[in-house]
């Protein structure tokens, strides 16, 4: 049974889904997701683990600054601090941490900075700033929406009123045309409807240069010491694994064929087949 809670972290009230009992597993979603991107993963792990799936800061209206326009705290380092604060507030560390898309850089920084709070790390379908290894993926430039989202005020003014069509494009593309269940699709659309909601979501893209610099500084002085698994699909493939290879002491990589970007919804059983033994190995040790 999944229970929704509201937890205050660094002055922001985060909606958090919790399920199951056992060693903690923290799940960090990407864009344009909510915690519900993990629905099938939570169902598959809740018999053995305590699953903690927050809506990240951009989904909280508390994420706005006093003028209601300039968002702060959407860089990867701040999101990692949110994750650490959530684990501490719930007395849930050390936890396994699983991140996808925009949830991957904060998951990585959390594990790098706070190995006392992270038991294992699973990251998927994202890049780590400007770290070497992703040159092939970026040979023709970053995906088009990175630049579109990065221009202050532009994307939200264009998309407002058409949020459902915009979210649908990401869901269809991210599942190779298969789409997602209507109730999950509707939850994603609701969460990203309205100019303020869009502005907060796009703030993560506007913070990408800051996030990349945070990752560069962090990897210059520390190594990833926790057991780590990188899972790739389409379109990122093995780029994230290649970035992690020189940074991690204990790295396992997997590539899921015939799988779109939104792995937890498109191929949940394939993902669970990788995650279950990985988590079990860490728990037994």
């Amino acid at each position: 049974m999944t229970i929704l809670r509201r937890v205050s972290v660094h002055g922001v009230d985060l909606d958090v889904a919790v399920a199951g009992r056992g060693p903690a597993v923290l799940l960090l979603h990407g864009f344009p997701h909510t915690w519900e991107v993990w629905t099938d993963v939570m169902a598959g792990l809740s018999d053995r683990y305590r699953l903690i799936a927050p809506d990240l800061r951009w989904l909280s209206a508390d994420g706005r600054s006093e003028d209601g326009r300039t968002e702060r705290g959407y860089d990867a380092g701040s999101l990692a601090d949110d994750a650490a604060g959530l684990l501490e507030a719930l007395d849930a560390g050390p936890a396994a941490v699983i991140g996808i898309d925009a949830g991957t850089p904060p998951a990585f920084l959390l594990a790098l900075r706070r190995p006392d709070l992270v038991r294992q790390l699973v990251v998927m379908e994202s890049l780590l700033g400007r770290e070497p290894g992703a040159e092939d993926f970026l040979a023709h430039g970053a995906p088009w929406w990175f630049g579109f989202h990065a221009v202050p005020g532009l994307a939200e003014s264009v998309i407002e009123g058409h949020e459902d069509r915009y979210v649908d494009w990401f869901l269809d593309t991210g599942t190779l045309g298969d789409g997602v269940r209507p109730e999950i699709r509707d939850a994603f659309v609701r969460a990203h409807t309205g100019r303020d909601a869009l502005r907060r979501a796009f703030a993560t893209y506007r913070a990408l240069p800051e996030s990349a610099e945070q990752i560069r500084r962090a990897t210059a002085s520390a190594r990833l010491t926790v057991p780590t698994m990188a899972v790739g699909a389409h379109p990122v493939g093995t780029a994230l694994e290649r970035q992690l290879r020189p940074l991690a002491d204990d790295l396992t990589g997997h590539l899921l064929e015939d799988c779109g970007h939104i792995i937890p919804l498109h191929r949940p059983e394939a993902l669970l087949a990788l995650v279950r033994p990985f988590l079990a190995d860490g728990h037994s040790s």
Side-chain angles (χ1 to χ4, degrees):
M1 178 179 179
T2 299
I3 299 172
L4 295 180
R5 298 182 53 180
R6 184 157 290 180
V7 181
S8 181
V9 177
H10 302 142
V12 176
D13 286 339
L14 301 178
D15 289 327
V16 184
V18 295
R21 298 179 63 181
V25 179
L26 177 67
L27 302 158
L28 303 180
H29 65 78
F31 173 86
H33 315 151
T34 68
W35 72 265
E36 284 136 308
V37 75
W38 302 111
T39 299
D40 296 331
V41 171
M42 294 176 75
L45 295 177
S46 60
D47 59 333
R48 295 188 179 184
Y49 299 96
R50 177 188 181 193
L51 288 306
I52 302 167
D55 278 344
L56 297 187
R57 174 181 287 253
W58 73 74
L59 297 179
S60 170
D62 295 334
R64 289 178 292 182
S65 64
E66 291 182 358
D67 64 10
R69 295 186 61 83
T70 304
E71 284 67 43
R72 301 184 180 93
Y74 293 90
D75 56 277
S78 295
L79 294 174
D81 289 343
D82 283 353
L86 179 60
L87 290 176
E88 291 168 341
L90 297 178
D91 192 24
V97 179
I98 303 179
I100 187 170
D101 189 73
T104 282
F108 170 77
L109 283 178
L110 175 63
L112 197 68
R113 295 171 171 178
R114 295 293 306 274
D116 59 309
L117 286 178
V118 179
R119 185 174 71 251
Q120 296 156 287
L121 177 66
V122 180
V123 284
M124 295 175 275
E125 282 294 287
S126 183
L127 297 182
L128 296 174
R130 295 181 289 268
E131 296 304 301
E135 292 81 6
D136 289 348
F137 177 75
L138 295 172
H140 300 291
W144 63 266
W145 58 90
F146 278 59
F148 180 47
H149 293 174
V151 180
L154 175 62
E156 52 265 42
S157 66
V158 173
I159 295 165
E160 186 178 19
H162 307 282
E163 293 92 341
D164 54 347
R165 294 177 61 188
Y166 197 65
V167 170
D168 282 343
W169 185 88
F170 285 95
L171 301 187
D172 290 342
T173 302
T175 57
L176 305 183
D178 290 340
V180 305
R181 297 192 295 278
E183 65 273 19
I184 293 178
R185 175 264 188 194
D186 291 347
F188 292 177
V189 171
R190 284 193 303 271
H192 295 88
T193 292
R195 189 167 297 205
D196 282 346
L198 292 168
R199 183 185 298 115
R200 293 193 299 272
F202 299 148
T204 61
Y205 291 86
R206 292 161 193 170
L208 284 175
E210 182 180 1
S211 298
E213 180 59 18
Q214 291 167 344
I215 291 169
R216 186 198 67 79
R217 292 197 304 266
T219 56
S221 59
R223 289 187 58 78
L224 191 60
T225 58
V226 305
T228 299
M229 182 166 69
V231 183
H234 178 80
V236 178
T238 60
L240 176 59
E241 178 187 349
R242 294 196 303 270
Q243 285 186 310
L244 282 166
R245 188 62 63 186
L247 306 175
D249 290 345
D250 182 355
L251 176 65
T252 302
H254 297 280
L255 178 64
L256 294 179
E257 303 289 348
D258 189 30
C259 180
H261 177 69
I262 314 175
I263 298 172
L265 290 177
H266 194 211
R267 297 286 184 260
E269 288 304 323
L271 178 59
L272 286 166
L274 299 176
V275 169
R276 284 191 189 107
F278 181 76
L279 297 181
D281 285 347
H283 182 42
S284 63
S285 62

